[in-house]
Amino acid sequence: MEFTSAAAEQRFDELVAAADRCVVGLDFDGVLSPIVDDPARAHIHPDAQQVLVELAEVVRAVAVITGRPARQALALGDLDAVGAELGEHGKELFVFGQYGNERWSSTQRRVISPRPPHGLSTFERDLPAVLRRADAAGAHIEEKGLAVAVHTRRLPDPVAARERLLDPIRELAERHGLVIEPGRNVIEVRSPGMDKGHAVRTLVAEQDAGGFLFAGDDLGDLDAFAAVEELREQGLPTLLVCSLSEEESALASRADVLVKGPEGVLDLLRQVARRAD
């Protein structure tokens, strides 16, 4: 764990002191789960469930805020079981899937989801031709119900392939009334109007949060970082955590704490739990 400044170290102390009023928001991939080539095999770190239970005992609420479908995150993280254990302690676990378009809580225990966005099916119809023209026909297309993700990780040069695809996929998305969300060797296409920052603001309002810790690793977490920075300007204790990788560093310059992957995130959360207890 590396603090990015003396002020960041002070923010950590202030958040720990106010932990019982704070909400903790966590991305899934790269934060709770290691990044793998096959998204369907990205299981949660084996220590994560116990750490989440320990953390929930000292904070107001814990939320997983992910671009994945909520049901997928629940299954890969066995989060239903985690939520049940938190319920025994009078605590609640939230899962905001697909950047907040889907929602699950350990009290309601069902996923609330809107209809797929208009234009998504026709976008998918036109996508293969765009991939072929960009010499990326081998990219993996992940259908997520409310979105489509184009993964370049399996291609010979995934970074270059993603760069070639950004503009043509953006143009195609815009023609169908959709927006793109670039990530770590992935481009996600979804409806506009929802992002992780909105999920953060929703949690703060509903939980009457007196502070917020958010841990992310990728471009899709920038909106959540911005929402937490707004809370900081309002005087609330906040902490921004970047799970570092060699593939993406957009969050590092805005983070208070830099950690190495899920193990680093979990170590930080353990410290919060133990110091706040």
Side-chain angles (χ1 to χ4, degrees), residues 41-110:
R41 300 176 64 86
H43 293 282
I44 199 169
H45 189 283
D47 295 338
Q49 295 175 359
Q50 183 58 40
V51 172
L52 292 180
V53 171
E54 294 173 1
L55 178 68
E57 292 179 355
V58 300
V59 299
R60 180 153 296 182
V62 177
V64 175
I65 306 174
T66 175
R68 284 183 177 273
R71 289 182 180 85
Q72 195 176 74
L74 285 164
L76 293 172
D78 199 16
L79 297 178
D80 201 341
V82 176
E85 188 167 354
L86 295 191
E88 296 175 2
H89 300 276
K91 297 288 186 174
E92 191 168 13
L93 176 69
F94 297 89
V95 176
F96 285 80
Q98 304 214 38
Y99 297 89
N101 279 300
E102 296 180 331
R103 176 171 175 163
W104 176 93
S105 73
S106 54
T107 53
Q108 292 185 329
R109 307 183 75 82
R110 64 186 181 92

Side-chain angles (χ1 to χ4, degrees), residues 194-230:
M194 181 63 71
D195 56 51
K196 292 186 180 183
H198 187 274
V200 168
R201 296 182 189 97
T202 296
L203 282 163
V204 170
E206 293 183 354
Q207 298 297 311
D208 191 24
F212 209 101
L213 181 156
F214 184 83
D217 76 313
D218 205 350
L219 293 170
D221 298 310
L222 284 170
D223 292 311
F225 265 46
V228 174
E229 288 167 346
E230 292 171 7

Side-chain angles (χ1 to χ4, degrees), residues 4-236:
T4 57
S5 67
E9 191 166 2
Q10 182 178 346
R11 291 187 192 114
F12 177 82
D13 293 337
E14 291 172 349
L15 184 126
V16 168
D20 62 336
R21 297 183 288 114
C22 292
V23 172
V24 175
L26 306 164
D27 189 13
F28 189 86
D29 294 276
V31 173
L32 292 176
S33 166
I35 297 293
V36 294
D37 288 343
D38 183 356
R41 300 176 64 86
H43 293 282
I44 199 169
H45 189 283
D47 295 338
Q49 295 175 359
Q50 183 58 40
V51 172
L52 292 180
V53 171
E54 294 173 1
L55 178 68
E57 292 179 355
V58 300
V59 299
R60 180 153 296 182
V62 177
V64 175
I65 306 174
T66 175
R68 284 183 177 273
R71 289 182 180 85
Q72 195 176 74
L74 285 164
L76 293 172
D78 199 16
L79 297 178
D80 201 341
V82 176
E85 188 167 354
L86 295 191
E88 296 175 2
H89 300 276
K91 297 288 186 174
E92 191 168 13
L93 176 69
F94 297 89
V95 176
F96 285 80
Q98 304 214 38
Y99 297 89
N101 279 300
E102 296 180 331
R103 176 171 175 163
W104 176 93
S105 73
S106 54
T107 53
Q108 292 185 329
R109 307 183 75 82
R110 64 186 181 92
V111 175
I112 300 172
S113 175
R115 293 181 180 274
H118 179 71
L120 188 62
S121 60
T122 50
F123 170 87
E124 291 184 70
R125 181 199 64 200
D126 297 339
L127 179 60
V130 170
L131 298 182
R132 288 193 299 271
R133 288 195 294 270
D135 191 26
H140 172 61
I141 300 174
E142 180 188 7
E143 297 181 2
K144 304 172 73 171
L146 301 179
V148 174
V150 180
H151 297 268
T152 62
R153 185 175 300 277
R154 301 176 188 177
L155 297 178
D157 189 342
V159 175
R162 195 199 76 150
E163 292 304 308
R164 290 197 307 274
L165 286 170
L166 273 174
D167 285 342
I169 288 182
R170 180 184 289 108
E171 292 171 4
L172 179 62
E174 289 175 351
R175 289 205 300 271
H176 293 280
L178 304 169
V179 296
I180 70 166
E181 187 77 58
R184 191 187 298 189
N185 292 329
V186 63
I187 305 169
E188 183 156 321
V189 179
R190 56 187 176 85
S191 59
M194 181 63 71
D195 56 51
K196 292 186 180 183
H198 187 274
V200 168
R201 296 182 189 97
T202 296
L203 282 163
V204 170
E206 293 183 354
Q207 298 297 311
D208 191 24
F212 209 101
L213 181 156
F214 184 83
D217 76 313
D218 205 350
L219 293 170
D221 298 310
L222 284 170
D223 292 311
F225 265 46
V228 174
E229 288 167 346
E230 292 171 7
L231 298 174
R232 177 175 298 168
E233 292 173 0
Q234 297 168 20
L236 272 67

